[in-house]
Amino acid sequence: MYAPILYTKLSIPVHRSHVVDRPRLIVRLDKGMYAKLILVSAPAGSGKTLLVNQWVKSSLIPTAWLSLEEADNDLSRFLTYLCASLQTIFPKLAEGIVGFVQSSEPPPVETVITYLLNEISDVSDHFVLVLDDYHLMTSEVINQALVYLLRHIPPHMHLVMITRQQPKLPLARLRAKGELIELRGSDLRFNSPEISEFLDRVMRLKLSKENIALLEERTEGWVAGLQLAALSMQGSSDPNYFMETFSGTDPFVLDYLMEEILQGLTEQVQNFLLKTCMLDRLCGSLCDAIFDIGEPKEHQSVDFTGQDMLEWLEQANLFIVPLDNERRWYRYHHLFADLLRKRVQQTSSYAGKAETVLSLTEIHKRASIWFEKHQMELEAFNHAVAAADTYRASNLLEGKGMPLLFRGGVVPALQWLGSLSSAELDSIPSLWVMYAAALLVSGHMIDVEPKLQSAEQALQDMGPDQIDSDLIGHIASIRATLAVSRHDADTIIAESLQALQHLHPHNLPIRAATAWTLGYAYQLQRKRAEAELSYLESLANSTQIGHHIITMMATLGVGNIQESNNQLHLAAESYQQVLNMAGKPPLPIACEAHLGLARVHYEWNNLNVAMLHAQHSVQLAHQFVQTDRVVASELWLARVTLAKADLHKADIMLDRINETAQRLNFTKELPDITAAYVLALLRQGDLKKAMRLSWDRNHALSQARVLLKQGNTLEALGIMESCLRLAITKGFKDEQLKATILLAVIHEEHGTRTQAIEFLTEAMTMAEPAGFIRVFVDEGVVVHSLLKRITARGDSRLYLLQLLAAFDEAENIRREIVVEESNIHPCVSKLPIDPLSARELEVLHLIAQGRSNREISEILHIALPTVKGHNRIIFDKMQVKRRTEAVAKAREWKLL
């Protein structure tokens, strides 16, 4: 088995016989170790690559070498090869980036480069990264990546850029700062001693000083011209006559020299060159496939092997470059390949020979077959396209088990499909569907549906026996995925079920994706059992075929269901699995895993960990365009901020989040936003706004909280008892837990303490296996009071002690916030004496609720005279005489 193309891009060894010592340039390059960028910019055939390779070999500095080609203009492909080249000197570097950049929704290029530079910063040794043939990179986003890399490149990393054209980089700034070493075409021209050494030692020609001077004059020291002229003289019977007729200034000098070289070669070698020049890279086995070598002798037209010919060309100095140390892979010098291809085109055009055109087509077809056989499907696809073999290209694009679209082939697929006429696409309706799928994967949502409609129209023009049921299923699956972005559950289910009905049982990639869309729709409809089954089916299929993205999405779905079933530990494991699969740096989809872990750690009262995951989620969510993921992530930042008792900051955050969700119609997030926002409003004492929001959104738990604050415990009980019955009936364990705790609070406020303790005890039984903490703490002092009463009855289980400790921690946080705000809050600073203590704030909150002194003493478990003492201190500090005045001033100062 031959090494993949990736292997051939990593290094270019130099053959000693090809080298002319050029110390004057080597010294210039050595100075590059003090610069960020070494730019070697010169015309084709100037010896750029050979010079840099000679310098790398002589300097012994670790070097990553990336030879670029036009196909590398795809950002995903470019970054993949870039990381692979770096791994030739640092094997563990950037291990997680490849899957990251090959995803259907890669992050901004600056994010990828930042992660790469962070890992490079951990390397202490100086090293060089060589980008050969950078002029082939026309992608603006790749250029932006290099600009960003140069701006932040660490001092021990040095970039060498070999190019025919000046790159669009901030060269003036680098030059002004002394961070740039430049070698141009004039620097690379051979002088007289170098020309003499080259002709004598490398080309084995003994020429007079006069002829050497003449060659220098006519080629102007251009090494490609020198080599072409030398090769021509090697095949000439009269070198002196050649020198008399050769003119380096002739505009057709290259064509002339190529003609001279080819005439000096055997017909067999000429045939080999003209047929293999269409290949970007060559190896013996590939050349054998082009010439049918290996067939029975009577069918063979040649008597050589591909490897023999490649080695002979290298020894003959015929512009062939080895690409690995084992000399298995080669490429022609780009200038030589261009000349050979021009010769092929001229021959075809001049002679008008149809067989020549057919021969080129056959070359590409045979190359495609060879690459497919050696599991290089992308190269096989490119040659099928070059052969204009639409059916073969279509089959390769569909892939065996996994479409090429999901393996880094989106850009070439779109380029090819966009070049086809409507008639060509109509002749193979599956091409329309692949076109739609490629647009979907690349994020061009608006263009997907027209392609699907074109596919359906093409299918209508076919006979019923010609219609592929699997294709009908694929169309429905794409439409289901489109509906996911709209959270349109009904459409998702209808299209997904139609897809699963028509898809072939062995079409696991599309079936896996469709099972996920179905699970998502069921989750939207709160059909959790059905959602879990669909997610598990998707997970099984995607794992079997290695569909990385769908595996992560299905795992996230399973984690969501586990979380809603109060299985926090299992959910955390699922979310962590996604982070492990998402790589480093993580794919954008990892925002969902971070968000899930933020929720889980919040419930475990690990607020700092929850905050960190929420921040990561926000950062990754910003890589999506026009989705509600940013709002969902920022909401949990606000929730943690609220839990940390920073009411003012949390209020600002929630106000902005609420406004954004309404403006962009992110209706899916509104229930969670409402719950958090109403909780914050009630803690601030803004009862009016909380009431309006909870009733406008018809949010039952929030309505019950508002009614409780208003003292309407009877109506609050009615709402929550209804919520609890519904949660039990539907099997919604998360909602059952919340309703049970809130019912305990309402019963306590209603005066039915026995029922309150029963409900809270039941809630603890439900919550203990998963380790819930925050769901209790967020209900405040009433739950704290009930927990103390349960403790007083002799319940000393560890979980109960953990809950009480969490309340104590929350009280310490509130106390710290009060102290901080006393120094920075303009209203609090007006107090004539010390700010209110945490206990005094608790008493003040209960006063605002309309509690009597006796009720306050019972809730807080303190003596009645102690309550009266707190009242007196509070009134003195706030400079008021009555309860109503204290409450009014507390709201003015945002203490409630």
Side-chain angles (χ1 to χ4, degrees):
M1 175 76 64
Y2 279 82
I5 277 293
L6 177 61
Y7 174 78
T8 73
K9 301 177 73 71
L10 303 187
S11 63
I12 300 181
V14 73
H15 197 281
R16 185 65 201 171
S17 64
H18 295 172
V19 175
V20 171
D21 293 324
R22 310 189 73 187
R24 61 188 176 90
L25 297 181
I26 296 297
V27 171
R28 291 271 301 277
L29 290 169
D30 284 337
K31 292 181 179 178
M33 297 312 294
Y34 303 97
K36 285 185 176 181
L37 174 65
I38 301 174
L39 179 64
V40 184
S41 178
S46 298
K48 303 182 293 295
T49 298
L50 201 61
L51 172 66
V52 173
N53 210 304
Q54 181 185 3
W55 168 65
V56 166
K57 296 289 184 181
S58 64
S59 68
L60 301 178
I61 185 171
T63 301
W65 191 296
L66 176 56
S67 294
L68 297 165
E69 56 188 70
E70 289 185 9
D72 297 333
N73 272 292
D74 173 42
L75 178 63
S76 172
R77 183 182 173 104
F78 173 81
L79 292 173
T80 299
Y81 286 146
L82 177 64
C83 294
S85 64
L86 290 171
Q87 287 168 359
T88 61
I89 51 177
F90 305 115
K92 297 296 183 180
L93 189 74
E95 286 184 325
I97 291 182
V98 174
F100 180 54
V101 300
Q102 290 182 342
S103 71
S104 59
E105 295 176 333
V109 65
E110 290 84 359
T111 302
V112 182
I113 299 299
T114 298
Y115 274 102
L116 183 59
L117 289 173
N118 287 340
E119 295 202 22
I120 289 173
S121 296
D122 294 334
V123 176
S124 58
D125 298 332
H126 281 262
F127 72 95
V128 169
L129 169 63
V130 179
L131 298 180
D132 195 4
D133 292 326
Y134 186 74
H135 56 272
L136 297 174
M137 296 298 96
T138 58
S139 167
E140 183 60 32
V141 69
I142 290 177
N143 196 67
Q144 290 173 3
L146 267 295
V147 171
Y148 189 83
L149 185 147
L150 278 170
R151 188 180 302 141
H152 302 282
I153 194 169
H156 59 281
M157 178 181 180
H158 310 278
L159 181 64
V160 178
M161 189 172 288
I162 304 173
T163 176
R164 295 183 189 177
Q165 303 167 0
Q166 180 161 305
K168 296 178 181 179
L169 299 174
L171 299 181
R173 178 171 57 81
L174 293 170
R175 195 178 293 121
K177 292 184 176 182
E179 298 173 337
L180 173 66
I181 296 294
E182 297 176 86
L183 290 179
R184 300 289 181 171
S186 58
D187 300 308
L188 270 66
R189 291 174 184 166
F190 275 36
N191 56 27
S192 295
E194 289 169 343
I195 292 174
S196 179
E197 181 186 358
F198 173 74
L199 294 173
D200 181 23
R201 184 160 59 83
V202 178
M203 302 307 298
R204 296 182 175 85
L205 283 174
K206 301 294 183 181
L207 299 181
S208 65
K209 290 183 179 180
E210 292 77 10
N211 282 340
I212 290 174
L214 185 60
L215 270 179
E216 181 180 4
E217 177 187 350
R218 293 184 177 178
T219 63
E220 297 182 346
W222 179 43
V223 65
L226 288 167
Q227 187 171 358
L228 285 166
L231 287 168
S232 299
M233 281 186 281
Q234 285 178 344
S236 173
S237 59
D238 188 354
N240 290 322
Y241 175 76
F242 175 85
M243 287 301 304
E244 291 174 5
T245 58
F246 169 54
S247 170
T249 60
D250 190 329
F252 302 104
V253 61
L254 293 179
D255 294 337
Y256 169 76
L257 291 173
M258 178 62 74
E259 186 71 25
E260 291 289 319
I261 293 170
L262 290 178
Q263 285 183 359
L265 299 174
T266 66
E267 183 178 348
Q268 189 176 66
V269 175
Q270 289 186 47
N271 186 41
F272 183 89
L273 291 172
L274 293 173
K275 286 190 175 181
T276 57
C277 69
M278 297 299 165
L279 305 171
D280 292 327
R281 285 172 171 76
L282 311 155
C283 71
S285 174
L286 175 57
C287 294
D288 290 345
I290 299 301
F291 288 93
D292 275 338
I293 297 173
E295 296 293 320
K297 280 287 183 181
E298 60 270 19
H299 299 303
Q300 287 189 26
S301 58
V302 294
D303 57 359
F304 60 85
T305 68
Q307 187 65 29
D308 292 340
M309 183 63 78
L310 292 172
E311 291 175 1
W312 184 88
L313 291 172
E314 184 184 4
Q315 291 301 317
N317 291 308
L318 268 173
F319 292 93
I320 192 166
V321 181
L323 295 178
D324 55 55
N325 291 314
E326 292 78 17
R327 281 171 160 67
R328 293 164 62 187
W329 285 93
Y330 295 81
R331 70 166 172 84
Y332 291 122
H333 187 287
H334 296 311
L335 178 64
F336 190 59
D338 290 342
L339 291 171
L340 288 171
R341 291 166 186 169
K342 183 179 179 182
R343 173 65 181 269
V344 171
Q345 293 169 356
Q346 288 174 340
T347 303
S348 171
S349 174
Y350 175 76
K353 296 179 180 178
E355 64 268 23
T356 305
V357 178
L358 289 173
S359 176
L360 294 178
T361 300
E362 184 64 24
I363 288 170
H364 284 297
K365 184 175 180 180
R366 292 180 182 182
S368 178
I369 293 171
W370 186 91
F371 278 113
E372 182 185 14
K373 180 181 177 181
H374 291 82
Q375 299 177 357
M376 303 180 205
E377 288 86 354
L378 186 55
E379 287 73 19
F381 168 75
N382 289 333
H383 279 287
V385 170
D389 191 337
T390 306
Y391 284 93
R392 178 168 182 77
S394 174
N395 290 333
L396 286 165
L397 197 55
E398 289 182 356
K400 296 179 179 178
M402 180 71 69
L404 198 58
L405 298 176
F406 301 131
R407 290 178 288 145
V410 174
V411 171
L414 283 174
Q415 290 174 343
W416 175 59
L417 292 166
S419 71
L420 299 178
S421 66
S422 295
E424 289 174 307
L425 293 167
D426 285 340
S427 66
I428 309 177
S430 62
L431 290 177
W432 283 116
V433 180
M434 282 187 283
Y435 205 164
L439 290 166
L440 181 67
V441 170
S442 61
H444 296 84
M445 302 291 188
I446 194 171
D447 300 321
V448 174
E449 181 59 32
K451 300 297 184 289
L452 295 178
Q453 292 176 7
S454 296
E456 291 173 329
Q457 182 60 50
L459 287 170
Q460 288 179 6
D461 297 336
M462 301 175 67
D465 57 332
Q466 295 178 295
I467 296 178
D468 185 358
S469 177
D470 192 72
L471 201 58
I472 300 297
H474 197 174
I475 292 172
S477 176
I478 293 173
R479 285 201 170 110
T481 305
L482 280 176
V484 166
S485 63
R486 304 190 302 269
H487 308 302
D488 183 355
D490 292 338
T491 300
I492 298 171
I493 290 175
E495 297 291 350
S496 297
L497 291 176
Q498 182 180 359
L500 292 173
Q501 179 183 352
H502 287 87
L503 286 169
H504 192 281
H506 298 305
N507 191 348
L508 296 185
I510 309 304
R511 293 191 73 89
T514 306
W516 179 85
T517 59
L518 190 60
Y520 182 74
Y522 284 141
Q523 190 174 351
L524 287 175
Q525 292 186 337
R526 295 162 63 83
K527 297 178 179 178
R528 296 178 180 176
E530 293 89 336
E532 184 175 24
L533 289 175
S534 294
Y535 284 143
L536 290 173
E537 179 184 351
S538 175
L539 185 58
N541 287 338
S542 61
T543 302
Q544 180 179 339
I545 60 176
H547 199 324
H548 195 61
I549 297 297
I550 297 298
T551 299
M552 287 192 290
M553 294 170 68
T555 305
L556 283 170
V558 171
N560 290 161
I561 300 302
Q562 291 167 336
E563 190 180 347
S564 65
N565 286 335
N566 293 343
Q567 298 170 313
L568 298 188
H569 296 288
L570 291 178
E573 289 178 10
S574 295
Y575 296 140
Q576 189 58 52
Q577 286 176 17
V578 173
L579 290 186
N580 295 340
M581 288 186 283
K584 186 181 180 183
L587 295 164
I589 195 176
C591 75
E592 294 291 342
H594 279 297
L595 183 56
L597 287 170
R599 293 191 299 262
V600 170
H601 282 282
Y602 177 88
E603 289 300 344
W604 287 340
N605 204 35
N606 300 330
L607 297 184
N608 291 333
V609 179
M611 178 72 81
L612 188 62
H613 280 295
Q615 290 169 342
H616 285 317
S617 182
V618 170
Q619 291 170 358
L620 291 168
H622 274 293
Q623 296 172 18
F624 294 107
V625 180
Q626 286 293 318
T627 72
D628 56 8
R629 295 300 82 201
V630 173
V631 166
S633 301
E634 288 183 340
L635 174 61
W636 280 91
L637 273 180
R639 287 292 302 268
V640 177
T641 302
L642 184 62
K644 286 177 170 287
D646 194 341
L647 302 183
H648 180 65
K649 183 177 180 181
D651 180 57
I652 294 173
M653 295 172 68
L654 288 165
D655 194 44
R656 184 186 70 249
I657 292 166
N658 184 54
E659 186 277 328
T660 301
Q662 290 187 90
R663 175 168 48 83
L664 298 178
N665 198 31
F666 291 156
T667 55
K668 179 174 174 288
E669 301 304 318
L670 289 180
D672 289 340
I673 293 172
T674 302
Y677 203 5
V678 167
L679 194 63
L681 291 170
L682 291 176
R683 290 185 183 178
Q684 295 177 58
D686 195 342
L687 192 60
K688 184 177 180 181
K689 189 173 181 179
M691 180 173 63
R692 183 174 65 251
L693 185 64
S694 58
W695 260 265
D696 286 349
R697 302 274 175 83
N698 193 28
H699 193 269
L701 263 70
S702 296
Q703 290 173 352
R705 295 184 195 281
V706 171
L707 290 169
L708 184 61
K709 285 289 185 182
Q710 292 175 330
N712 190 348
T713 55
L714 191 60
E715 190 173 349
L717 278 173
I719 290 176
M720 290 316 301
E721 285 171 351
S722 176
C723 288
L724 181 60
R725 285 194 299 271
L726 180 63
I728 293 173
T729 301
K730 295 287 187 179
F732 297 167
K733 295 182 179 179
D734 54 344
E735 296 182 11
Q736 182 181 350
L737 176 60
K738 293 175 184 176
T740 302
I741 296 172
L742 191 51
L743 274 169
V745 174
I746 297 172
H747 272 291
E748 173 66 10
E749 300 284 29
H750 190 61
T752 48
R753 178 166 294 158
T754 301
Q755 289 92 326
I757 291 176
E758 288 176 356
F759 273 111
L760 193 60
T761 303
E762 182 182 351
M764 289 169 59
T765 301
M766 286 189 285
E768 183 174 4
F772 280 92
I773 298 291
R774 200 71 217 178
V775 71
F776 293 94
V777 175
D778 285 344
E779 296 301 337
V781 294
V782 177
V783 170
H784 190 202
S785 173
L786 289 172
L787 289 173
K788 285 183 177 180
R789 290 189 178 278
I790 294 173
T791 304
R793 294 185 175 188
D795 192 335
S796 60
R797 58 180 136 165
L798 178 61
Y799 182 53
L800 179 57
L801 298 178
Q802 290 174 334
L803 289 174
L804 290 171
F807 274 97
D808 292 338
E809 181 183 347
E811 181 177 337
N812 291 334
I813 292 174
R814 285 196 296 272
R815 184 182 296 115
E816 291 171 4
I817 291 292
V818 169
V819 172
E820 290 175 6
E821 290 191 345
S822 68
N823 295 321
I824 62 174
H825 198 289
C827 297
V828 175
S829 64
K830 295 178 182 179
L831 295 177
I833 56 175
D834 293 340
L836 301 182
S837 68
R839 176 63 81 186
E840 288 161 359
L841 280 172
E842 286 183 329
V843 172
L844 181 59
H845 275 80
L846 292 172
I847 290 174
Q849 294 175 17
R851 301 290 184 176
S852 66
N853 288 342
R854 185 171 298 281
E855 288 175 326
I856 293 173
S857 71
E858 292 177 352
I859 292 172
L860 298 181
H861 301 287
I862 56 178
L864 184 58
T866 303
V867 175
K868 293 178 180 179
H870 282 309
N871 288 346
R872 184 171 60 255
I873 294 172
I874 292 170
F875 292 172
D876 288 341
K877 286 183 176 182
M878 301 183 72
Q879 299 178 2
V880 297
K881 296 182 178 180
R882 288 182 289 275
R883 280 178 162 230
T884 53
E885 292 176 357
V887 172
K889 189 163 288 190
R891 286 175 177 164
E892 177 187 347
W893 290 349
K894 297 188 180 300
L895 294 178
L896 294 176

